[in-house]
């Protein structure tokens, strides 16, 4: 496998439930990003990891959102007490080296909150 | 905060013509600007990167320009093909590690 993978691809949940998504980046990539994308919009930055350190977090990210990247490999994004407004595609991307290098995106996890 | 503007209306062109997509930004110029292609239901795919001190970058049928005076980047696809039909996103990089993506322009190339 040479690409970024995300799991699950689709998630349907009821409002108020917690959900967790997983991202497996390309193995040698030290940078990992999470984005959220809604229909007709571009990806919206959520957070960034360099290795295991979370170096950047969007002010748009409420306290209900948390992300981890233990050991600098895979990453998880958890949303607590989901709201209907959280319904979106959640994209993970990874890159290697300097900050301007191309990002490799995964297929995304589509979240639907009922 | 930075505002990235791409034409929200779809661009419809005939096969073989040159497609030109626009990305405008406000405030100060980014250090780098990337262009991505996104197909429905899939993650974006990187196409080109241009630096603040570069005026133009080319890759095969693709060309990107960067005008810091106009605060604008143009993305050109020459000899367009129906397979080029997709949404194209610009993504300037401002502070250290945060990319701001535009909302994208949908390109339709008709045979």
């Amino acid at each position: 496998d040479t690409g970024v993978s995300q799991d699950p691809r689709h998630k349907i949940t009821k409002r108020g439930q917690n959900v967790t998504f997983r991202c497996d980046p390309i193995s040698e990539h030290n940078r990992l990003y999470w984005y959220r994308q809604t229909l007709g919009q571009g990806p919206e930055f959520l957070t960034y990891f360099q290795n295991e350190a979370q170096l950047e977090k969007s002010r748009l990210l409420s306290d209900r959102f948390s992300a981890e990247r233990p050991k600098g490999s895979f990453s998880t994004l958890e949303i607590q007490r989901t709201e209907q407004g959280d319904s979106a595609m959640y994209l993970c991307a990874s890159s290697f080296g300097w900050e301007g290098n191309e990002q490799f995106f995964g297929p995304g996890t589509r979240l639907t909150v009922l | 905060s930075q505002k990235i503007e791409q034409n929200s209306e779809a661009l419809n062109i005939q096969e073989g013509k040159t497609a030109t997509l626009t990305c405008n930004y406000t405030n100060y110029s980014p250090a780098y600007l990337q262009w991505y292609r996104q197909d429905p239901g899939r993650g974006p795919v990187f196409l080109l990167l241009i630096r603040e001190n570069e005026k133009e970058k080319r890759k095969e049928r693709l060309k990107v320009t960067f005008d810091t005076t106009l605060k604008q980047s143009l993305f050109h696809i020459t000899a367009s093909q129906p397979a080029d039909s997709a949404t194209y996103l610009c993504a300037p990089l401002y502070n250290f590690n945060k990319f701001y993506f535009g909302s994208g322009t949908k390109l339709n190339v008709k045979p």
Side-chain angles (χ1 to χ4, degrees):
Chain A
D1 183 16
T2 57
V4 177
S5 61
Q6 292 186 244
D7 183 70
R9 295 292 308 277
H10 303 274
K11 178 70 177 179
I12 300 174
T13 191
K14 293 182 179 179
R15 187 175 52 188
Q17 298 295 306
N18 299 342
V19 294
T20 300
F21 309 143
R22 176 180 171 122
C23 170
D24 285 272
I26 294 172
S27 59
E28 65 269 24
H29 286 187
N30 58 334
R31 296 170 178 268
L32 187 145
Y33 305 80
W34 283 98
Y35 294 89
R36 177 173 64 189
Q37 186 174 28
T38 54
L39 193 63
Q41 300 298 313
E44 177 185 26
F45 173 84
L46 293 178
T47 191
Y48 158 72
F49 289 86
Q50 183 165 321
N51 298 314
E52 68 274 9
Q54 187 174 21
L55 299 184
E56 191 78 39
K57 188 174 178 181
S58 170
R59 289 175 292 176
L60 299 173
L61 216 61
S62 73
D63 292 341
R64 297 185 297 107
F65 288 72
S66 63
E68 293 182 341
R69 193 185 182 195
K71 303 178 182 179
S73 55
F74 72 92
S75 176
T76 58
L77 177 68
E78 181 182 17
I79 308 174
Q80 297 182 327
R81 305 180 303 281
T82 53
E83 302 172 356
Q84 288 187 325
D86 297 331
S87 295
M89 175 74 84
Y90 290 83
L91 293 163
C92 173
S94 69
S95 69
F96 177 76
W98 66 289
E99 64 270 13
N101 270 349
E102 66 176 287
Q103 297 178 64
F104 292 82
F105 281 82
T109 294
R110 180 164 296 283
L111 173 66
T112 302
V113 182
L114 303 175
Chain B
S1 63
Q2 297 301 320
K3 187 175 181 181
I4 313 304
E5 294 179 344
Q6 292 187 259
N7 194 341
S8 58
E9 293 183 9
L11 178 63
N12 299 304
I13 64 168
Q14 205 68 34
E15 181 177 9
K17 299 295 185 182
T18 296
T20 299
L21 308 175
T22 304
C23 176
N24 295 304
Y25 56 89
T26 58
N27 301 330
Y28 56 95
S29 288
Y32 317 102
L33 192 147
Q34 297 181 343
W35 281 88
Y36 287 80
R37 168 185 172 141
Q38 187 171 27
D39 292 285
R42 309 188 73 168
V45 175
F46 174 83
L47 297 174
L48 278 172
L49 162 77
I50 189 164
R51 292 177 171 80
E52 184 180 17
N53 60 354
E54 296 176 321
K55 297 295 183 185
E56 181 179 299
K57 203 75 167 286
R58 291 175 183 264
K59 179 182 177 182
E60 298 174 350
R61 295 185 297 112
L62 309 180
K63 183 178 82 171
V64 173
T65 62
F66 197 176
D67 189 326
T68 56
T69 301
L70 294 178
K71 297 187 177 182
Q72 182 180 81
S73 175
L74 297 179
F75 179 80
H76 306 270
I77 304 176
T78 58
S80 59
Q81 305 166 0
D84 295 327
S85 297
T87 295
Y88 290 86
L89 303 159
C90 71
L93 176 61
Y94 286 96
N95 68 354
F96 199 45
N97 292 301
K98 185 186 294 186
F99 284 90
Y100 292 85
F101 278 83
S103 57
T105 298
K106 186 174 182 181
L107 173 66
N108 296 313
V109 181
K110 300 181 179 179

